[in-house]
Amino acid sequence: MTGSGQSTARRSWSPGESVAAAVEGELALLTPGVRADPAEAARLLDPGFTEIGASGTLWTRDAVLTALPTFEDADTPGAEILEMTGTLLAPGWVQLRFVTVRGQHRARRTSLWRLAEDGERWRMYFHQGTPAADD
């Protein structure tokens, strides 16, 4: 307890809970509803977030939040997600790897998720998409 009577205990995340929280966040970021809502997307992106897109473009957090609502038409089906795996790299850090398929376009993707300073939420810190040939 602190002098104000508040507990400073932080939530303890098991490896499985950490990976599951990152997967949940990743899947949320891939939904049209979150992509269309910059405030909701911002909740899931770390303040230090960067991305190297499948096009090779380096994106900042602000640039992604501005562009995200324009990436998809509401009538366009979302990407199919395949082969998602997650690994706890260290306490507070999770790596996800997966494949997205959108029409004829496949991309191998990886993201790093970092536990927020409050110890309560996971946010995407880095993402990279690389075009992939059909396997």
Side-chain angles (χ1 to χ4, degrees):
M1 293 272 213
T2 63
S4 65
Q6 294 178 330
S7 172
T8 59
R10 292 174 55 139
R11 176 178 173 171
S12 177
W13 293 81
S14 73
E17 290 171 328
S18 299
V19 170
V23 168
E24 181 180 324
E26 188 80 53
L27 294 176
L29 279 168
L30 291 167
T31 64
V34 171
R35 294 171 80 81
D37 183 350
E40 187 62 19
R43 186 181 67 76
L44 294 167
L45 296 180
D46 190 90
F49 172 82
T50 57
E51 174 176 345
I52 300 171
S55 66
T57 302
L58 177 61
W59 294 86
T60 64
R61 181 179 191 267
D62 289 342
V64 165
L65 291 173
T66 299
L68 201 55
T70 69
F71 286 161
E72 297 176 19
D73 182 328
D75 296 329
T76 303
E80 181 180 4
I81 295 34
L82 305 171
E83 304 171 24
M84 184 168 290
T85 61
T87 303
L88 181 69
L89 299 176
W93 290 94
V94 169
Q95 179 186 32
L96 299 179
R97 289 180 295 186
F98 58 101
V99 173
T100 57
V101 179
R102 187 181 305 272
Q104 299 300 313
H105 302 283
R106 291 175 60 91
R108 294 203 177 276
R109 300 186 178 275
T110 188
S111 58
L112 294 176
W113 286 77
R114 178 164 72 167
L115 186 60
E117 287 183 17
D118 65 9
E120 295 296 320
R121 346 177 239 136
W122 287 86
R123 298 185 292 196
M124 186 184 288
Y125 180 77
F126 175 78
H127 181 83
Q128 181 167 351
T130 303
D134 290 335
D135 294 330

